[in-house]
Amino acid sequence: MKNKKEDLIHNSSIVEQDILPEDYQFNLSDFALFLFVMKRRKAYECTLSIILDEPNIKLADVKVEQVVLNKSGKRAIRLDAWAMSTDNRQFNMEMENHSKKDFLPKHSRYYQGMLDSPILKSGKKTKYKHLPSTVIIFITQDDLFGKDLARYTFTEQCEEVENLHLDDGTKKIFLNMISKNGSKELVSLLQYMKETDIENPEIVVKDERIIELDHIVTEVKESEEWEAVKMNILEVGIKKGEALGEARGEARGLERGIEAFVLDNREENVPEERIIAKLAKRFELTEEKANEYYKQYAK
């Protein structure tokens, strides 16, 4: 287990890309802008239409950041962008920029159960056949399955009999912004999400739905509500940057102190084992970490 001083050195290596510069241009792949845009029904319809290849899909209801509690109330999920279509199908879209931090296939499994649980009520009148069809969509910047596809679709089917589907009404879709292997419309949509500029050269076809989506993105970015949220995000980023700078400065000072301590003791011909022990005590390090620093600076 790390102690405070080891944590200081470790935390000073925070990835800088998590801290946004003041002139940062937000993309749809950014969680905040994604939510702001997807709560517009037309934007959700345009996006879903391309993903599912359904030109005429219509939505009856759209909600963002909807919280769904489990029965005990101990574990909840916060849905990024939920929708119900006019033909009673349920959808949920998740923008996942850190897909490697969790196992998304099981993540999707948990979401499926949580989405179904509020629908079924106790009593004989409630039938399982009343469960709506559900499509869960994860949009990522990683190829989770390593097959270089822009879209991976999973449904339940029999392993013994080919093309025998369970027809339980569930579907899970994983979208990959890296791959260009998919329909021109889908690839263009994903590239637009990655770099939200209608003149992005990676957009191979300017589908009318992407153009409509771009109009909505422009409206959102020009709104006072988005401007307030954006400034708040950037302000938090500036504070993180300042804190990171201070942490790095302190960490560098600590490492220089460790280096000087090792070299001074070496000049006094203090035995290696004794230097490591003194180093661990003086700088509150584990013996293993003190040994690493000794080897690094004793050279």
Side-chain angles (χ1 to χ4, degrees):
M1 182 180 293
K2 294 186 182 75
N3 57 40
K4 290 182 180 179
K5 294 199 173 178
E6 285 185 57
D7 278 335
L8 173 63
I9 296 171
H10 174 75
N11 291 337
S12 69
S13 63
I14 296 172
V15 180
E16 289 189 15
Q17 66 187 29
D18 289 338
I19 300 173
L20 303 177
E22 290 185 59
D23 60 348
Y24 181 76
Q25 298 299 313
F26 284 84
N27 300 303
L28 269 179
S29 57
D30 293 304
F31 180 70
L33 184 60
F34 177 76
L35 292 183
F36 256 81
V37 172
M38 285 305 129
K39 68 182 179 181
R40 305 278 190 101
R41 185 179 304 180
K42 187 61 179 178
Y44 204 131
E45 285 178 346
C46 289
T47 304
L48 200 58
S49 173
I50 294 174
I51 293 171
L52 301 181
D53 192 21
E54 292 186 30
N56 300 314
I57 191 165
K58 296 295 180 183
L59 299 178
D61 194 15
V62 171
K63 294 177 183 176
V64 297
E65 291 199 293
Q66 183 183 19
V67 175
V68 180
L69 292 170
N70 65 10
K71 191 173 182 180
S72 65
K74 293 180 180 179
R75 175 83 183 194
I77 57 173
R78 187 184 297 273
L79 307 176
D80 285 3
W82 173 92
M84 182 70 79
S85 65
T86 54
D87 59 356
N88 199 40
R89 286 181 292 164
Q90 187 175 206
F91 302 93
N92 185 52
M93 269 197 284
E94 299 286 317
M95 181 59 68
E96 287 288 343
N97 284 320
H98 302 287
S99 56
K100 293 181 180 178
K101 290 186 177 180
D102 198 357
F103 189 62
L104 287 190
K106 286 193 175 180
H107 193 161
S108 68
R109 167 184 159 185
Y110 185 73
Y111 269 40
Q112 179 65 62
M114 290 291 283
L115 282 167
D116 287 341
S117 58
I119 297 172
L120 286 180
K121 299 178 181 179
S122 59
K124 294 182 179 180
K125 292 183 179 180
T126 302
K127 305 294 183 182
Y128 289 108
K129 66 181 179 182
H130 296 150
L131 282 172
S133 295
T134 302
V135 180
I136 298 175
I137 302 166
F138 284 93
I139 307 170
T140 76
Q141 299 194 48
D142 299 299
D143 189 349
L144 299 178
F145 307 100
K147 303 298 182 182
D148 191 24
L149 294 177
R151 166 180 161 149
Y152 298 91
T153 304
F154 295 89
T155 57
E156 299 283 350
Q157 60 184 39
C158 182
E159 293 186 4
E160 291 79 12
V161 182
E162 188 177 357
N163 295 323
L164 177 59
H165 296 272
L166 186 59
D167 289 332
D168 63 345
T170 64
K171 183 180 292 185
K172 300 175 182 69
I173 298 173
F174 298 85
L175 301 177
N176 166 27
M177 295 183 195
I178 296 174
S179 178
K180 304 294 178 64
N181 291 322
S183 72
K184 292 181 179 180
E185 293 79 10
L186 177 60
V187 169
S188 295
L189 171 67
L190 294 175
Q191 294 309 308
Y192 176 76
M193 287 183 163
K194 190 176 181 181
E195 185 181 333
T196 306
D197 181 345
I198 198 63
E199 301 304 325
N200 177 356
E202 299 297 327
I203 298 175
V204 293
V205 56
K206 290 184 179 178
D207 185 273
E208 61 182 10
R209 292 163 292 185
I210 297 177
I211 294 173
E212 178 69 25
L213 183 59
D214 184 63
H215 289 328
I216 297 171
V217 169
T218 301
E219 287 179 7
V220 166
K221 285 187 173 183
E222 291 175 350
S223 69
E224 292 183 4
E225 186 182 8
W226 166 251
E227 187 65 22
V229 170
K230 182 183 75 171
M231 294 308 296
N232 184 54
I233 293 171
L234 294 177
E235 185 179 342
V236 170
I238 291 169
K239 289 180 179 179
K240 281 185 177 181
E242 291 172 350
L244 178 57
E246 291 176 6
R248 282 182 174 159
E250 193 173 344
R252 288 193 193 101
L254 180 58
E255 288 191 318
R256 285 171 184 164
I258 292 172
E259 180 181 11
F261 184 88
V262 171
L263 295 178
D264 288 345
N265 277 270
R266 289 268 292 174
E267 286 181 5
E268 295 175 8
N269 295 317
V270 177
E272 177 181 327
E273 295 78 6
R274 179 64 179 152
I275 295 176
I276 293 171
K278 289 171 65 178
L279 188 64
K281 184 176 181 180
R282 170 69 177 79
F283 292 95
E284 301 175 19
L285 303 170
T286 62
E287 186 175 342
E288 180 182 5
K289 197 67 181 177
N291 187 48
E292 287 180 15
Y293 279 123
Y294 176 81
K295 290 180 178 178
Q296 179 180 348
Y297 294 122
K299 296 178 182 179

